[in-house]
Structures are given as structure tokens and as C-alpha cells.
Amino acid sequence: MPKIVDHEERKEKLAEATWRVIRREGMERASVRTIAMEAGISAGSMRHYFSTQSELLAFSMKLVSDRVKARIRSSEFSGNPLEDIQRIIYEILPVDEERSAEMEVWLSFTAKALVDPALQSLSNEVYDELRATIAHCIDFLIDSGLARPELNREIESERLYALVDGLAMHAVMQPGRATPDVLKSVVLHHLEALCQ
């Protein structure tokens, strides 16, 4: 009896192999052959799951975003707006090994998206989702009555979005300096400054 293969699970394993290659060797070495070798399958077998390298990279890129969203959806919230907003932001920031790996490959994907139209629309979509998530956090502060009365929703949403994005970049580029404790302290300090 032939073995039943879960195609979605196999595609995720191939995406994870793609992430490992990108982290270890860079985006320029993330060829179908190198990724297949990392995954322990033949390059020809890859065609059963992805018809092109762009399709593989797009799936791998989207998987990063999907996993972050799944963690946020499955989070248990306390009902304390400041704690809950921090919990959401910490699911995005590289505050542990899993999130650091995701952020490293995400930044590689976004750099590639500058020259690859197949990845560019996905990159824009994910950044729009991030911006919307951050705007919801600011709305949550305002709706809970914790925000300063004069707080400008649009400006503060954009400012928190830029802060989170910048902290993520710093954590990947200078992990010894932008440690998880530093990231968490900066986020908490910023959120407290938005409150009355």
C-alpha cells in the first residue's frame, strides 16, 4: 500500500528547509537544488509541490506571516489592554529563537521582493496587515480609555508601526545590542507614554 503524503505538510517542510538555507547561506543560495538537498528530496520531486522557484519562495514567505497570525489568534488575552497589546507585538518581534528565525527570513524575502514582482504583492499585503494590526492596538488603547485624550490615532498608529518594524530590523542586524529584553522595554515604555 503506498504511503499517503500530506501535501500541505510536505510544502511546509519544504518552506522550513527554504528558511534554513536562507538563514545559513543567504537568499542568493536558495536554489531549488540546494533547498531540495536540505529537505532530503530530489530536485525533481520538488516539482510535485512547486512548479517554480518563485512559487516556492512565495509560499515560504507567506508561511512566516501565517504562523505569526496563528500565534496571535491563539493567544490568551488577560483583558488588560497594555498587557494584551504587548502580547500581540511580541508575537511579531524577534524575542525568541523561533521569532528571530522568522524575522531573519522575512527580511530576506522583503529585500528580494524589491526586484521580484511575484513576492512584491505578497510583501505589500503582509505589511498592510501589520499596519492594520498596529492600528487596532492603538484603537484598543483609545477605546479602553487608557490613551491620552489628545492622542492622534493615525500618527500614533504609524509611529508604533515604524517602531515595531525598526526594532525588528535592529534585532536581526544587531542581536547582541537589540536583545529581547531591550525590545520589550522599549515597547512597554512607548505604550506607557501613550497613556494618561
Side-chain angles (χ1 to χ4, degrees):
M1 182 169 183
K3 183 178 176 185
I4 297 173
V5 176
D6 182 331
H7 285 279
E8 278 308 303
E9 182 180 325
R10 179 58 65 105
K11 286 171 77 171
E12 287 188 18
K13 295 295 181 197
L14 293 171
E16 290 167 354
T18 303
W19 297 354
R20 290 191 301 274
V21 170
I22 291 169
R23 288 187 78 200
R24 188 177 61 241
E25 302 178 45
M27 181 64 80
E28 60 279 354
R29 293 275 300 142
S31 67
V32 169
R33 182 185 306 148
T34 307
I35 294 165
M37 192 179 312
E38 176 72 23
I41 65 170
S42 70
S45 295
M46 293 277 282
R47 288 189 197 90
H48 293 293
Y49 305 99
F50 301 102
S51 56
T52 66
Q53 182 187 27
S54 283
E55 190 179 306
L56 168 62
L57 293 178
F59 181 87
S60 301
M61 183 178 188
K62 186 172 183 323
L63 186 59
V64 174
S65 171
D66 289 347
R67 287 196 175 169
V68 171
K69 288 188 283 191
R71 282 196 309 267
I72 291 172
R73 279 193 302 271
S74 68
S75 290
E76 291 186 22
F77 295 108
S78 68
N80 177 316
L82 276 179
E83 288 176 9
D84 291 344
I85 290 169
Q86 288 173 80
R87 184 169 281 118
I88 290 168
I89 291 172
Y90 299 160
E91 291 299 344
I92 299 164
L93 288 174
V95 295
D96 61 21
E97 178 56 32
E98 178 183 6
R99 286 154 188 78
S100 293
E102 290 171 348
M103 190 54 65
E104 283 179 40
V105 297
W106 177 257
L107 291 175
S108 294
F109 283 130
T110 56
K112 176 119 175 110
L114 294 172
V115 294
D116 185 338
L119 297 180
Q120 192 168 46
S121 64
L122 179 57
S123 177
N124 291 340
E125 177 185 319
V126 172
Y127 275 111
D128 287 346
E129 289 172 355
L130 174 60
R131 179 180 270 115
T133 298
I134 296 297
H136 288 309
C137 289
I138 295 297
D139 287 342
F140 190 32
L141 268 185
I142 293 169
D143 294 345
S144 69
L146 291 176
R148 295 188 327 265
E150 74 280 4
L151 188 128
N152 182 303
R153 178 200 181 274
E154 288 75 24
I155 289 174
E156 295 304 339
S157 294
E158 198 63 35
R159 192 162 73 133
L160 183 55
Y161 170 69
L163 177 70
V164 169
D165 201 39
L167 287 173
M169 172 84 70
H170 288 243
V172 169
M173 302 303 290
Q174 297 183 315
R177 188 173 190 177
T179 65
D181 287 341
V182 168
L183 300 182
K184 290 178 178 182
S185 294
V186 170
V187 168
L188 178 58
H189 179 78
H190 181 75
L191 293 175
E192 288 176 339
L194 299 176
C195 296
Q196 302 185 49

